[in-house]
Structure formats: structure tokens, C-alpha cells
Amino acid sequence: MTFKEQIQQGIPSELPLKKEYDLNINHAPKRKEILSAEEKKLALKNALRYFDKKHHETLLPEFAEELEKYGRIYMYRFRPDYKMQARDIKEYPGRSKQAKSIMLMIQNNLDYAVAQHPHELITYGGNGAVFQNWAQYLLTMQYLSQMTDEQTLTMYSGHPMGLFPSSKNAPRVVVTNGMMIPNYSQPDDWEKFNALGVTQYGQMTAGSYMYIGPQGIVHGTTITVLNGFRKINKSPKGNLFVTAGLGGMSGAQPKAGNIAGCITVCAEVNEKAVHTRHSQNWVDEVFSDLEELVTRVNKAKESNETVSIAYLGNVVDVWEKFDEANVHVDLGSDQTSLHNPWAGGYYPVGISFEEANVMMAEQPELFKEKVQETLRRHAAAINKHTAKGTYFFDYGNAFLLEASRAGAEVMAENPSIGREFKYPSYVQDIMGPMCFDYGFGPFRWVCASGKPEDLAKTDKIACKVLEEIKQNSPEEIQQQMADNIQWIQGAQENKLVVGSQARILYADAEGRMKIAKAFNKAIKKGKIGPVVLGRDHHDVSGTDSPYRETSNIYDGSRFTADMAIHNVIGDSFRGATWVSIHNGGGVGWGEVINGGFGMLLDGSKKASKRLKSMLFWDVNNGIARRSWARNDEAIFAIKRAMEVEKSLKVTLPNMVDDTLLNNV
């Protein structure tokens, strides 16, 4: 069968041969035992309902074995034989170009070069899934190949509920992931209901088909590190940034450190992850001996080097050793997957990676105890460094939250609303006031032709647009404009593409609209092929996350999720090709609500109209909310937006003199 025929057939009527478990692939850890005997039967019934009854007798023992061995039913037998990668949009079967663009993005999320655990359909973060099983993938791709521009596919946590009549102006796909009743949104609830096959953790851009490999987080981390050094009035050159994690998202940190120009030490316990990043040239050097690491770092400091170093081992050992050896750390953070602390997101110190994985599955309570002991040690070591002048920030991975739950010394001596912890979230001190409040966030695009030359052309178009905008930009945003022009000018030489031909930069509404409009004109003229627009959920408007994206909202509303819900609803009727809303992405199940979108530009007048309507809303929704929280930068930005767009009328806050409240 051809590739197109395989897509069109969906779930095959005859069973494919059973596939061997490939030990060369980076697999998801075994999930803990959480289902009762009756619930296991229900999980099996739920899995078998995808298949003709004549196959149930064959598949039942196979699925039961998967559930027992891995804690989930992935349906490995049904994994396609064709290469999983984003193809030229023309290679996909179908009646809707918009649907074809979504197929392209789904396959990119599952590309072996992109996905963390591709056979388990997990893109990043240890549990950020595109689908729960391979039957869902096959059925979804089939539906997309059948879809017209007057139908919408509804996705319930990886399950394609079906194609429904809609209109040409409606989204082609609406995605929800993990949308639990609030009282059933704890970590063990995810374990249970995911094992039953009724929900999934979509992370952010994994379950919304908008992940572009680690490039996205490389850019965000570069901006964060640059601004982090600015905050402490130091040049990155010859100065040290210490962090942890080399997985799907965190693997970007050493590359970002190199672009920023500092010395980066990044610890990782998973040897496969370390060697993957080293082989991809995302990290320069690898050490497993602490004495040798200290010697190498001191040499880099003396020589004012820019170098990224991976330490194969636990980051707690690094922090403790650097304290003992008086290695000064300028910037410190952590990007292990602490949104998922009990299932492979964070590993205890003093135990091998392999031993920890066994303990995680077979002795989950002991594993939890060891993780919390490690968090206490981790925080204690960081406290010693910050006493010597290190600037430490939480990089939105729930480090401070989980450390506080473990009883670590991370709470502020004089807490205030929104400032409970001893150390700030990076959004509070860096990205919030410097970027998000002004409307700057992670705008991205994918060249649907798959041609590197198209990406090079879009880079030039975007750079030209930004340079033109910068000439008339107010002083308040000149630095943001300059950083992104520098980024896009160096994008090609930094070889950031993994998977699809994609790019990201931080842009405000004006930048996004003008870049998108220029792309659409170039497509119309035949200079480039179609382009898919998107963004990270980690943006100005997309996410309500009290310990990350909205951690610098101090009016008490940071625990509300109105903004993310309005974001997705508003995007859906303003022209998005697809929209998504998720529970838990980035910082953990039950801790956040976040939304995303995708939009196909095809050179048409309709696309031009949609991009203006949707992109303006997608950014200014968040600026309006941030301005109502009395954030000065956001008040500046929303007033500027109202001057540009006369039909925009936003409620502005009246400031209260704090002295009036002193006697209350």
C-alpha cells in the first residue's frame, strides 16, 4: 500500500503482524499499578472497542500484557510501518488543505527526531501525549483524509469522537486534553483515568500538534538567560549558568546557553538523553566525574569561554560539589519535569537511573519519599549558593512548588500575595514584565512544503518586517525588538531545525500580524509554499498558570482560568484552523489550564482576513487581563493597542493610593 492508502484505510480490517518491542528506542517508564481488577477489565473493554469483534480474542491477551508490563495499553501492533515525519503538504490525501496541514503537524510531533517516547506517542515532558494509543492515531488520520471544509473533527483527549457538520469559518479540529472535573484532577487521577483509556495529558504543544522540537524552548531560554544576566548586571561571557534536564524540552538549555554566550552546566540522569543531545550538537561536552567537571568549569571561567557541558548524574551532586569547591554560580535554575515528580520527571539522588525506574513502578511510596528527600537536599544546596550571590529562578517546572510540598526551605520570610517563595518564578522577574506584559510571546511557523529554502525565505521576510517595525517602536520595547532581530538573523547558522522546517521568535500582535500578512502575500505570489502559524501555549494569553505564566498577576486572579478559556473560544470564531484547550500542561495535572491554536496560510484573501482578526485577539486578550491586574507594562501596551485599533475598548484599572489602606 502507498502512504496515502495507508492513511485512508485507518484501522486495518485485518490485523497487522505483532511488532517486537524495540529496545533501541527511548521508551516511557512503566506507569505505576493503580487499577483494581475490575478497572483493568474496564480498561481492556475500552481498548477493544476500537476493533471488530472478530479480533477481540487475539488482541485481549496482548493488551492485557501491555497493561501489566507498561501500565498502559499503547497497541504497539498498530504502529504504522511508514516513516513518521512531516511531509510536504501535497503528499497527504484529502479534500481539505487545512486538514492536510494538521496531518503534517501530527506526524511532526511523533517524528523520532522530535518525540521523546515516539512508540508511546509521547512528545515531551515524560507524559505529554499526542494520542493515548495507535488506534486513535490511525482513526484520526483517516478522518482528516476524509474531511471537507464544512466539517469539524472533535478530539476528546486523543480520541477522535467524529466528524461533525460545521462551516467553512469554523475550526477544522477542536482538541481537548485532560479536561477533568476539578475534584478529579490530582496526579493519581491522571494515572487512573489515563490507564482506563479515557483521558490524557497533552502537555502544551504535544496534544495540540504544535511542537516544533526543542527550538521553541531554545529561543525562550535564550531570551530568559540573556535577561537573567541583564537583571544581575553581568555579561554572560565567562559566567556560569547551572541547571538540570536534557529531555524533550529541557534539552534546549545548553544550546540556549551557547547562543546567549555563557558557560552552561546541565545535569541529566538518563544516559540516552545525554548522548542524544551530544550527538545532535545541542551540548558540547559530557562529564561523569565531578572533580573533572570542576576543573573544566574553572578553566572555562578563566578563559571567558562560551561552552555547554552535560553532567551525567544528579544535579544535586553538582550543586553540592560546586559549593564545596567554591565554584561561583551566577545564574541557577532547574528544568526537570517536576510537573510529573512521581513518574519519571525527577529522580532521587544516590540511586541509579535503572534502580529508580524499578522503584518507581514497584515501590511508588518509597520512590516518592526518596524524591522528596532529594528535593530538600536540592533546595538546601541552592540556598548555600544564593547566600554567596547566585541568582536563582524557578523555570516554571514546579520546582519551588514541589520542594515546598516536600518541606524544603524555599518559603519567603515575609510572604506577600503572589510572592510566597524565597525565589521568583522566571515569569515574575524576567519574562512577565519584560515580555508578556508588553504582548511579546512565542510566535511560530512551519513551512508546509518541508523545503529548507522556504524556511530561509520566511526568515528573511520576518527579519525585514521586524526591522521596519523597530524603526518606529517606542523605547519601552526596543530591547525586545533588537533581541528578536538578532535571533532571527542567527537562526540559520545555529541549525535549530529538528523535524519540520519551523521557526519561532518572540513577537507582539503588530509583529505577528505583519509577518503573517507578508507570508500570505509571498504564498499568493508563489515565492513560498503554504505556512502553518501557531505559538506555544506558554504565551501572553494562552495559559492561566499561577506558578508560571500568570505568576506575575498580583490581584488575586492568578488562580482563575477565564483568560485561557476565552482565548480558545475567541480564536475558534476568529479564524483558527484548529484550537486546543488542556489541563496541566507544563507544570502538572490540576495546576494550569492552557490553550493553543494552529492556522494555515494559503495565500488567499480569506486567510489574510482571518490572520488579522485572530492574531490581534489572541495577544490582546492577555494584555487586557494583565492590565486589569494593574501591571504597568500591560497598561502601556493595551493603551497603545487601543490607539491603533479604534474598535478596541478595554476596561482600565483605577489606581488606589496604598496609604488609604494603612488603617484598614
Side-chain angles (χ1 to χ4, degrees):
M1 295 177 73
T2 65
F3 169 71
K4 287 185 177 181
E5 288 169 341
Q6 289 182 74
I7 294 291
Q8 289 169 320
Q9 79 165 340
I11 297 172
S13 56
E14 297 301 320
L15 292 181
L17 294 174
K18 188 176 178 181
K19 288 184 170 59
E20 293 294 321
Y21 188 80
D22 189 345
L23 295 173
N24 296 313
I25 296 294
N26 195 4
H27 287 284
K30 180 185 176 182
R31 306 304 181 185
K32 69 180 180 182
E33 186 88 12
I34 199 162
L35 299 182
S36 67
E38 283 302 307
E39 286 168 339
K40 287 179 180 178
K41 290 179 182 177
L42 181 57
L44 291 164
K45 284 177 68 176
N46 287 345
L48 289 169
R49 60 185 161 175
Y50 285 100
F51 307 97
D52 192 298
K53 284 182 72 174
K54 67 182 180 181
H55 299 311
H56 288 186
E57 192 173 346
T58 301
L59 294 175
L60 179 60
E62 188 176 315
F63 290 171
E65 182 184 23
E66 286 187 14
L67 188 59
E68 187 66 29
K69 272 189 176 182
Y70 313 118
R72 297 293 186 271
I73 301 170
Y74 297 114
M75 308 180 186
Y76 291 118
R77 177 193 288 263
F78 294 93
R79 187 166 47 79
D81 292 322
Y82 51 74
K83 188 174 182 180
M84 192 63 68
Q85 63 178 19
R87 292 159 168 79
D88 185 333
I89 193 169
K90 296 173 184 175
E91 293 185 36
Y92 292 93
R95 297 185 284 176
S96 164
K97 189 179 284 187
Q98 292 183 73
K100 291 179 183 182
S101 73
I102 299 168
M103 285 192 267
L104 179 160
M105 297 300 292
I106 287 172
Q107 290 205 306
N108 187 64
N109 269 24
L110 294 171
D111 186 324
Y112 284 21
V114 174
Q116 185 181 15
H117 306 306
H119 287 190
E120 289 77 37
L121 303 114
I122 289 170
T123 301
Y124 65 88
N127 57 356
V130 187
F131 300 98
Q132 297 176 57
N133 57 58
W134 286 103
Q136 291 178 346
Y137 166 84
L138 294 173
L139 194 52
T140 298
M141 296 295 278
Q142 182 186 41
Y143 275 137
L144 290 168
S145 74
Q146 297 168 345
M147 174 188 285
T148 71
D149 281 340
E150 293 186 339
Q151 289 175 304
T152 293
L153 175 61
T154 57
M155 299 295 300
Y156 281 36
S157 286
H159 170 66
M161 191 58 72
L163 289 172
F164 290 81
S166 59
S167 73
K168 290 182 179 179
N169 295 323
R172 298 283 66 82
V173 177
V174 176
V175 179
T176 56
N177 279 302
M179 299 308 291
M180 304 298 292
I181 303 300
N183 282 348
Y184 300 90
S185 201
Q186 296 301 311
D188 272 357
D189 293 319
W190 170 72
E191 294 282 0
K192 178 178 178 178
F193 293 109
N194 186 228
L196 283 173
V198 295
T199 195
Q200 73 174 8
Y201 184 77
Q203 262 288 356
M204 289 188 153
T205 50
S208 57
Y209 324 141
M210 191 44 72
Y211 190 57
I212 58 168
Q215 179 185 167
I217 191 67
V218 169
H219 179 257
T221 305
T222 301
I223 298 295
T224 301
V225 171
L226 282 172
N227 284 323
F229 278 109
R230 286 172 185 146
K231 189 164 184 66
I232 60 174
N233 297 314
K234 283 188 175 182
S235 165
K237 200 71 176 173
N239 288 315
L240 178 60
F241 172 46
V242 172
T243 185
L246 285 172
M249 294 292 276
S250 54
Q253 295 178 110
K255 187 76 167 178
N258 279 2
I259 295 170
C262 63
I263 303 161
T264 306
V265 171
C266 190
E268 170 61 59
V269 295
N270 184 341
E271 189 172 0
K272 277 188 179 178
V274 170
H275 290 299
T276 295
R277 293 305 174 208
H278 190 234
S279 68
Q280 291 174 336
N281 297 316
W282 287 66
V283 63
D284 299 325
E285 301 172 17
V286 177
F287 287 84
S288 57
D289 182 277
L290 286 168
E291 294 292 346
E292 292 177 4
L293 178 66
V294 168
T295 301
R296 180 67 184 94
V297 169
N298 284 332
K299 182 186 175 188
K301 280 173 167 279
E302 289 166 10
S303 307
N304 274 343
E305 287 184 61
T306 295
V307 64
S308 56
I309 302 166
Y311 173 69
L312 176 55
N314 200 292
V315 72
V316 176
D317 291 325
V318 175
W319 282 109
E320 291 177 343
K321 182 64 179 178
F322 282 6
D323 174 53
E324 175 194 312
N326 288 318
V327 175
H328 180 71
V329 179
D330 299 280
L331 287 188
S333 194
D334 188 271
Q335 211 184 15
T336 52
S337 297
L338 268 161
H339 69 275
N340 182 33
W342 325 126
Y346 183 89
Y347 281 79
V349 69
I351 302 171
S352 74
F353 180 65
E354 293 74 21
E355 289 171 330
N357 280 331
V358 172
M359 185 188 293
M360 187 194 312
E362 297 180 0
Q363 297 175 284
E365 289 307 313
L366 179 60
F367 182 80
K368 182 175 181 179
E369 184 181 311
K370 294 293 183 184
V371 163
Q372 292 193 319
E373 284 177 9
T374 301
L375 281 166
R376 291 192 289 271
R377 268 180 67 179
H378 195 163
I382 288 166
N383 290 342
K384 288 181 180 179
H385 282 272
T386 57
K388 299 176 184 178
T390 297
Y391 175 72
F392 183 86
F393 58 90
D394 186 306
Y395 199 23
N397 67 331
F399 171 73
L400 291 176
L401 185 62
E402 287 302 333
S404 70
R405 289 168 176 169
E409 292 183 19
V410 294
M411 306 310 293
E413 288 184 15
N414 299 300
S416 60
I417 293 174
R419 288 278 183 167
E420 304 95 331
F421 299 119
K422 183 181 291 191
Y423 306 113
S425 154
Y426 75 116
V427 174
Q428 288 176 317
D429 274 12
I430 301 172
M431 300 305 281
M434 295 182 183
C435 292
F436 290 172
D437 286 353
Y438 284 118
F440 284 83
F443 178 58
R444 59 181 58 171
W445 64 88
V446 176
C447 296
S449 66
K451 295 176 181 177
E453 55 266 37
D454 275 9
L455 183 61
K457 289 174 186 175
T458 60
D459 283 344
K460 287 181 181 177
I461 291 169
C463 192
K464 183 181 178 183
V465 169
L466 291 178
E467 286 172 337
E468 288 172 355
I469 294 172
K470 186 176 183 292
Q471 290 177 7
N472 298 307
S473 292
E475 184 180 344
E476 287 85 347
I477 61 171
Q478 283 288 318
Q479 186 65 66
Q480 291 89 329
M481 298 299 299
D483 283 350
N484 282 287
I485 290 168
Q486 180 183 342
W487 164 267
I488 202 73
Q489 286 174 339
Q492 293 283 329
E493 66 184 70
N494 285 315
K495 298 178 181 178
L496 297 161
V497 171
V498 176
S500 61
Q501 294 295 315
R503 186 68 71 226
I504 187 170
L505 56 80
Y506 266 46
D508 60 3
E510 180 186 11
R512 298 182 204 204
M513 288 188 293
K514 287 183 175 178
I515 289 169
K517 185 178 179 181
F519 288 169
N520 205 49
K521 282 185 177 178
I523 297 164
K524 183 181 179 181
K525 292 178 180 178
K527 294 180 179 179
I528 56 173
V531 171
V532 176
L533 300 182
R535 58 161 169 74
D536 197 344
H537 295 209
H538 173 68
D539 197 11
V540 181
S541 302
T543 296
D544 283 298
S545 181
Y547 297 106
R548 194 160 85 170
E549 283 79 3
T550 48
S551 61
N552 70 322
I553 301 291
Y554 300 118
D555 67 351
S557 70
R558 66 193 178 114
F559 293 95
T560 66
D562 301 82
M563 181 177 72
I565 300 298
H566 271 285
N567 180 261
V568 169
I569 294 171
D571 284 356
S572 68
F573 66 75
R574 286 181 172 87
T577 302
W578 74 97
V579 292
S580 60
I581 187 79
H582 297 183
N583 166 23
V587 296
W589 198 252
E591 302 286 359
V592 54
I593 299 294
N594 54 59
F597 78 88
M599 174 182 279
L600 177 68
L601 299 182
D602 59 4
S604 66
K605 285 184 180 179
K606 286 183 179 179
S608 182
K609 185 177 179 181
R610 286 197 298 263
L611 72 87
K612 183 180 178 183
S613 174
M614 203 218 74
L615 293 175
F616 184 85
W617 155 259
D618 190 68
V619 174
N620 282 293
N621 167 46
I623 299 176
R625 186 270 178 94
R626 293 166 186 278
S627 71
W628 185 239
R630 296 184 289 271
N631 292 15
D632 291 339
E633 297 85 359
I635 293 171
F636 167 85
I638 204 66
K639 284 181 177 178
R640 185 166 172 254
M642 285 191 280
E643 289 173 6
V644 172
E645 178 52 72
K646 300 303 180 185
S647 63
L648 176 67
K649 308 289 182 185
V650 171
T651 309
L652 294 173
N654 292 296
M655 299 304 178
V656 178
D657 186 344
D658 285 344
T659 59
L660 291 174
L661 304 173
N662 290 341
N663 297 322
V664 175

